[in-house]
Amino acid sequence: MGHRGLKASCLLLFVLLLLLAVCRGRVVRVPKGPLIRVVGTEVEIPCSVSDYDGPSEQNFDWEFSQETDFVRIVSTWDSTFTSEEYQNRVGYGDIKLRRSSNDAVELVIRNIQPTDQGRYKCSTPSTDATVQGNYDAEVQVKVISDGLSVSGSKARSSVSLRLSEGDSFKLRCSAITTSPEHTHLHMTWQSKNGSTWCDILSLTHEGKFQPGPGYEERYQNGDIRLDTGADDTYWLSVSQASSVDEGAYRCLVSEWVRGADSSWQKIQEKSVEIANVTIQRTALDVVISTSNVSVTERDSLDLMCSITTDRSGIFQAEVMWYFSASPDATLSDAQVLLSMDHDSVVSDSTLISLSHVDRNSYRLLVRDVDVGDSGYYFCQAAVWVPLHNGSWHKVVERTSAPVSVVVTVLGE
C-alpha cells in the first residue's frame, strides 16, 4: 500500500510539473496604476516582457485611450505605426521610446499635459512558437496640477555672503505644495564650488535627516544643521566655516507620492539658488621684536612676541613659546617653555613667566639664565573664535622666525 501511495504521489507531481510547463507563457508587465504625474514634467512609463520564445530583443507597441478606443502612439519596429494625432509629437521627440534592455523599454512623454491623462497599453508582437500568456498590459496615468513652490529670500536673486574663517552662517529656503494628492516633500541643501552640485544635508520625504558624503562628521558634531520653521521654511546652519564651504548654495526640493504598490515615486523636482558664499582666510603675522640677543648668565632674558591679524569681531589669541638647539628644528622636537591659552590661562613655571602686555604683545621673561639657555626661541600664535554651542574653534596658526640667543659666561 505504501509503494502504491508513493507512486501515486510521484505521478501527481509529474502531472503538475507538466501542466506548469504547458501553461508557461509570455508575460508583459507595466507598473501598477494609477501613476500620479505632474503637468509639465517628463514622464517615463516602463514596460518589460519575460518568458518568451524567439529572438532575445523584443519589440514593443504603445497605445493610448481616454475612453474606449485606443490610439497608436509609437512602436520600436514599425515606423508607420504612429497615428496622425501623435506624428508631430513623436517627430519632434516629445514622445519617444527608450530601450533599457532587450526585453524592456520606457515610453517617455516630455511636458505631459492633462490631455495625456488616460490608459496606456504596452503590447509585444508574438515571436512564440505557440500563443501563450499575455501579450499586452495597461496602466492608468493621472495628471495633476503643479502645486509645488520653492523660493529663497524675498529678493529674486541669490544673496552674496562674505565671511571669515570660523564664522557661522544661516540660509533660508521656503517650500510648499498645494497638490491635490497626498504628497511628501524631500528637501536637500546643496553646494557647488565648480561644476557639480554636492549634497550637504537632506530632510527626506520619510522624515529622516541624511547628511551628504563628506558631511557626516560635521552633522554628528552639530556643525551642519537643517531646521524647519514657520511658513514652510527650511534653514541650513553652518558653523566653523572654512574654505571648503565656499561656493554657490541652493535648495533642491522633490515631491513624492506613494504608488498603488506602496512604493515611493518622485513626481517632480525644483530648485532655487539661495546664496554665494566667500570665505576670507584669516591673516596672522607672528614676529619676535628682536633678531639676535646676547645676555650674560644670571641675568634675565626678555623677549617680546607681537601678533597682527585682520580678524574682526570676537576672537582670542593663544600663544606658546618654544626653545630649540637648532634653528631648523620642527616644533614637535622643540621644548615648550610656556603657553597662554585662549582663556588667558598661563602654564606654571618658577623661573620663566609669560605676560600679556597689550592686545597684540606677549612677553617672555627667563630669569637667572645660564649657558644651557643658549639656542633658538620661537613664538607660535593661534586665533580662536567662539561657536554657537559655547565652545571655541581654532581658525589659523602661525610660527615666528627663530631668534638666536647667546648666553655669555661671567668674566668673559
Side-chain angles (χ1 to χ4, degrees):
M1 190 71 179
H3 290 293
R4 290 180 180 176
L6 180 60
K7 288 182 179 179
S9 297
C10 290
L11 180 60
L12 180 60
L13 179 61
F14 175 77
V15 172
L16 288 173
L17 290 174
L18 184 62
L19 287 173
L20 287 173
V22 171
C23 294
R24 176 180 176 273
R26 174 182 296 253
V27 179
V28 177
R29 293 184 180 88
V30 292
K32 189 175 181 181
L35 302 181
I36 309 298
R37 297 298 182 260
V38 177
V39 65
T41 62
E42 183 174 281
V43 174
E44 300 94 15
I45 309 174
C47 178
S48 64
V49 61
S50 62
D51 301 326
Y52 56 87
D53 297 328
S56 59
E57 183 174 286
Q58 293 288 291
N59 283 304
F60 297 83
D61 298 330
W62 280 90
E63 297 174 271
F64 170 72
S65 172
Q66 283 187 324
E67 296 178 356
T68 55
D69 296 331
F70 278 91
V71 181
R72 293 170 295 173
I73 305 175
V74 66
S75 171
T76 59
W77 64 288
D78 185 358
S79 59
T80 64
F81 181 82
T82 304
S83 297
E84 183 178 356
E85 51 263 58
Y86 280 103
Q87 287 179 359
N88 284 340
R89 295 177 71 183
V90 172
Y92 290 133
D94 293 331
I95 297 179
K96 61 184 178 181
L97 289 180
R98 184 162 57 211
R99 185 178 287 277
S100 50
S101 65
N102 284 338
D103 56 8
V105 297
E106 288 179 330
L107 174 66
V108 181
I109 305 174
R110 191 164 56 191
N111 189 25
I112 195 167
Q113 295 298 310
T115 53
D116 295 316
Q117 178 171 290
R119 289 182 295 140
Y120 288 82
K121 180 168 68 174
C122 174
S123 306
T124 58
S126 176
T127 59
D128 305 322
T130 58
V131 178
Q132 298 178 73
N134 71 305
Y135 287 78
D136 59 62
E138 295 181 17
V139 60
Q140 180 78 23
V141 173
K142 182 179 180 181
V143 181
I144 63 174
S145 59
D146 180 3
L148 178 61
S149 175
V150 182
S151 60
S153 62
K154 293 181 179 180
R156 290 187 177 182
S157 58
S158 62
V159 299
S160 296
L161 298 178
R162 186 171 181 84
L163 308 168
S164 297
E165 282 182 296
D167 282 353
S168 300
F169 64 93
K170 293 180 70 175
L171 301 177
R172 174 189 177 277
C173 177
S174 176
I176 187 172
T177 180
T178 57
S179 171
E181 298 292 322
H182 182 63
T183 59
H184 292 232
L185 298 185
H186 180 128
M187 196 281 176
T188 300
W189 280 100
Q190 295 182 317
S191 66
K192 179 178 70 172
N193 192 352
S195 59
T196 305
W197 289 102
C198 301
D199 290 354
I200 301 173
L201 185 57
S202 300
L203 179 58
T204 72
H205 52 282
E206 296 180 290
K208 300 176 181 178
F209 289 102
Q210 182 177 305
Y215 287 92
E216 296 88 350
E217 185 175 350
R218 295 179 71 184
Y219 170 70
Q220 293 295 331
N221 293 339
D223 295 329
I224 299 287
R225 302 197 324 275
L226 196 165
D227 301 307
T228 57
D231 301 322
D232 303 290
T233 55
Y234 299 82
W235 293 90
L236 175 69
S237 299
V238 179
S239 299
Q240 301 184 34
S242 65
S243 57
V244 299
D245 297 313
E246 276 195 332
Y249 283 74
R250 75 174 183 180
C251 63
L252 177 69
V253 181
S254 53
E255 191 168 11
W256 295 68
V257 66
R258 277 200 184 276
D261 59 357
S262 296
S263 65
W264 285 104
Q265 299 174 11
K266 182 168 71 173
I267 59 175
Q268 73 164 322
E269 186 175 82
K270 293 182 180 181
S271 66
V272 60
E273 290 202 27
I274 303 298
N276 280 284
V277 175
T278 302
I279 307 297
Q280 181 179 349
R281 280 66 170 173
T282 299
L284 178 63
D285 291 324
V286 183
V287 177
I288 300 177
S289 55
T290 306
S291 56
N292 294 297
V293 178
S294 178
V295 60
T296 305
E297 64 176 339
R298 295 184 184 176
D299 284 347
S300 294
L301 171 64
D302 192 345
L303 298 175
M304 189 72 71
C305 177
S306 299
I307 65 171
T308 305
T309 180
D310 61 354
R311 187 80 194 188
S312 59
I314 300 174
F315 71 90
Q316 294 290 346
E318 177 184 64
V319 173
M320 189 172 294
W321 283 91
Y322 289 87
F323 169 79
S324 175
S326 168
D328 301 321
T330 61
L331 294 187
S332 60
D333 299 327
Q335 174 189 351
V336 178
L337 298 176
L338 274 183
S339 63
M340 177 183 291
D341 65 17
H342 56 269
D343 291 324
S344 298
V345 176
V346 180
S347 53
D348 295 330
S349 179
T350 304
L351 297 177
I352 307 176
S353 64
L354 174 58
S355 57
H356 193 181
V357 179
D358 56 43
R359 180 172 176 81
N360 299 318
S361 301
Y362 298 81
R363 180 189 184 195
L364 175 71
L365 184 64
V366 183
R367 303 176 185 86
D368 196 19
V369 297
D370 59 30
V371 292
D373 295 315
S374 295
Y376 297 88
Y377 290 74
F378 302 79
C379 177
Q380 184 185 76
V383 171
W384 293 72
V385 296
L387 301 180
H388 67 279
N389 59 4
S391 63
W392 290 78
H393 170 63
K394 180 165 62 177
V395 294
V396 64
E397 184 178 77
R398 296 286 184 269
T399 303
S400 71
V403 168
S404 172
V405 174
V406 177
V407 179
T408 58
V409 179
L410 282 171
E412 288 187 356

